[in-house]
Structures are given as structure tokens and as C-alpha cells.
Amino acid sequence: MLAYAIRRILMLVPVFLAVSVVIFLILHFIPGDPIDNLLKVGAPPEQRAEMMARYGLDRPLPVQYAIWLGKLLTGDLGTAIVARRPVADLIGQALPHSLLLGGLALAFSTVVGVTLGVVAALNKDRFLDRAIMGGVLFGSTLPSFWLGLLLILVFAVGLGWFPVSGARTWSSLVLPVLTIGLGGTALVARITRVSMVDIAAKDFVLLLHAKGLSPMRIQIRHVLRHALIPVVTILALRIGWILGGAVTVEVVFARPGLGTLLIKALSQHDYPVVQASLLMLAMAVMLGTLLGDLLQAAMDPRVRGALS
């Protein structure tokens, strides 16, 4: 298991380097630069050239990338050009809000999704199965930003049960968590149902029925345990997807998270902040993928043997 984990970690190194190059190049190819937000209208070209040299933006792109990557590998995320604060401080203030929101949304989608999937599998091809699968399919087609606005309109503006925006109280988390979690619930429910139906047709399940075990005990203690292997993988992948999806949701609900920081930095062309924020989101996806592979390998030895 240790050798498998080491191989999977080493495979992430070239992926990390490739992602860092893509983030750096795309950002620098976007028209405009952060100096426009620092200079007054009508500033002389000499002042602009001085500011460009101060922040190293006058150097060739390969040199800028090498300097940024070198600092990044030592834990230095740089200094925000517009905010003039260490990027690590800005990330440190915003990331806990995003992690809390993403963690609660992941827990919600896990509990509700697995429960709905189990109920649908136990009632295969019946009305309840079709109703649940139809409902989750409809929920998965709703864009998160549109669903967030709808929830605000109904439960915040109309009924007044929850605050419209902000992050001052725990109640302000309810609507954002529902907005992010409902999309994941649909995926988890579908995977759980399909996996349970597939496992229930295996020979060992027929043997358990022949031994006289109760159908509910077979489904919960044996079928569900084996069916959770692909579900665990999907949930690990959802870690990166949830943090990425939280970008638009945090903007809709005006939460002080990583998404709000990223959108603000993009509007100001603040390269160090945008690069660090995008890299955090990319690393969340990579770490989620790694975690999913390790959990799947721990639960199914055949996965470890496939890469040995």
C-alpha cells in the first residue's frame, strides 16, 4: 500500500507543474495588468515603467515564471500588487470560509445522496425508485448560481427564514450549503443506486439469501458495503469540484471565501492573488483525486495490483 501511495504522489508532480504553467500563461495573456489599478488617469509612461520594474513585470515571461515557481516551492506566495499584502494572509483569511462551506456541502450531499440511493435500490423499478431518480436528475440539471438566486428569493426575501448574504451567523450557511450540496446529492444517489443494484446481482448475494439471512440485513451489511467503493471515489473527487463550484456560490451569497477573493483579484488583474487562488483550487482537485485513489486501493486490493 505504501509503494502504491508513493507512486500516486510522484504522478502528481508533473501534473502540478503543468497546471502551474497553464495558470501562469493564461493569466498573463489576458489583456490588461495590475498596474492599471495603481496608476492615476493620465500618469506619465515613466511612472508606469517604474512600477512595472518594481514588480518584475518588465521581465520575460519565462523568467517571471521561474521566479514565481521558485518562491512557490519555498512556501512564498508573493505579495498582492493591488492590496499590497502578503498573498498567504489573504488566502489564510478566505480559505477557512471556503473549507467550512465545502465540508458541510460534502457532508450534506453524502448523507442525503447515499440515503436516497439506498432507498431507490431497495425499491428498484417501483414508483419510489422512479420518483427519486427523476427528482435527483432534475436537481442535477439546475445551475448552481440559478439555484442560489432561487433559494434567496424564496427563503430569504420571501419567507425571511435565512439571511440573504454574509457569513456572520451559522444560519447564513444553510442556503449556500443547499445550493452546492444538492448538485452533489444527485450524483451520489445515482452512483449508490447503480452500484447496489449491480452488487445485488452477484453470486455471493444469492448465496446469502440461500443461507436464510434477512433481505434488509443483506442489503445494508453486505451489498451496501461493497457498493460504497465507487461512491467513496466520487466523494473524494467531489472535494475539488465543491471548492471550484463554491466560487460562483460565494459570489452569489457575498461570502468572504476564496471565490470572492478570486473574482475581486481577477477584476484587478492582481497576478499573485489570482495565481495562488487558482493553484489552491487545482491542488484541491489533485488531492481529492489522490485521496479517492488511496481509499479505493485500501478498500479493493485489486486496484493496488493493477499498478504494481
Side-chain angles (χ1 to χ4, degrees):
M1 183 65 189
L2 179 60
Y4 175 80
I6 294 176
R7 286 197 301 269
R8 290 295 294 115
I9 294 174
L10 291 177
M11 289 171 62
L12 290 180
V13 175
V15 177
F16 173 81
L17 294 176
V19 168
S20 68
V21 171
V22 171
I23 291 175
F24 182 86
L25 292 179
I26 289 180
L27 185 60
H28 283 75
F29 286 155
I30 297 176
D33 57 61
I35 304 302
D36 296 333
N37 295 281
L38 299 177
L39 296 176
K40 297 181 180 180
V41 178
E46 294 79 9
Q47 187 176 359
R48 179 180 181 83
E50 179 185 354
M51 296 290 290
M52 293 283 288
R54 179 185 303 177
Y55 293 105
L57 299 178
D58 59 338
R59 300 175 181 177
L61 286 182
V63 176
Q64 293 186 44
Y65 173 76
I67 294 175
W68 173 63
L69 183 62
K71 292 182 178 180
L72 182 64
L73 295 178
T74 61
D76 184 6
L77 298 178
T79 302
I81 297 176
V82 178
R84 299 181 182 180
R85 292 180 55 191
V87 176
D89 291 348
L90 297 175
I91 297 292
Q93 291 178 356
L95 190 58
H97 292 281
S98 297
L99 291 178
L100 177 61
L101 176 59
L104 292 176
L106 182 63
F108 173 83
S109 61
T110 301
V111 174
V112 178
V114 170
T115 302
L116 291 178
V118 170
V119 173
L122 294 178
N123 296 273
K124 178 186 174 185
D125 296 332
R126 299 177 184 174
F127 172 78
L128 189 57
D129 177 25
R130 296 187 181 94
I132 292 176
M133 289 298 100
V136 298
L137 179 61
F138 175 75
S140 64
T141 61
L142 298 177
S144 59
F145 67 90
W146 185 86
L147 179 60
L149 293 174
L150 181 63
L151 293 178
I152 289 176
L153 181 63
V154 175
F155 295 103
V157 178
L159 299 176
W161 291 355
F162 305 103
V164 176
S165 60
R168 296 182 179 180
T169 61
W170 283 98
S171 60
S172 63
L173 278 167
V174 175
L175 297 184
V177 167
L178 288 177
T179 302
I180 300 175
L182 286 176
T185 298
L187 177 62
V188 174
R190 291 201 304 271
I191 296 297
T192 303
R193 179 198 178 276
V194 171
S195 183
M196 285 192 66
V197 170
D198 181 63
I199 296 297
K202 300 294 183 181
D203 292 339
F204 80 92
V205 177
L206 297 177
L207 181 60
L208 292 175
H209 282 288
K211 287 184 176 181
L213 275 68
S214 65
M216 185 59 64
R217 182 180 180 183
I218 293 175
Q219 291 291 332
I220 301 302
R221 295 193 58 180
H222 299 278
V223 175
L224 179 60
R225 184 179 65 181
H226 289 82
L228 285 179
I229 294 178
V231 176
V232 168
T233 304
I234 291 297
L235 290 176
L237 292 175
R238 286 284 300 169
I239 295 175
W241 297 345
I242 283 179
L243 287 181
V247 172
T248 55
V249 174
E250 285 175 347
V251 173
V252 170
F253 289 93
R255 291 187 56 82
L258 194 62
T260 303
L261 177 65
L262 174 60
I263 297 301
K264 182 179 178 181
L266 276 172
S267 65
Q268 298 173 337
H269 292 86
D270 200 332
Y271 295 156
V273 180
V274 177
Q275 289 169 176
S277 300
L278 291 177
L279 199 60
M280 287 292 174
L281 296 177
M283 288 180 62
V285 175
M286 289 187 290
L287 292 178
T289 304
L290 174 64
L291 179 60
D293 290 342
L294 295 180
L295 289 176
Q296 189 176 20
M299 299 173 67
D300 189 352
R302 294 173 300 177
V303 176
R304 300 195 298 269
L307 290 180
S308 60

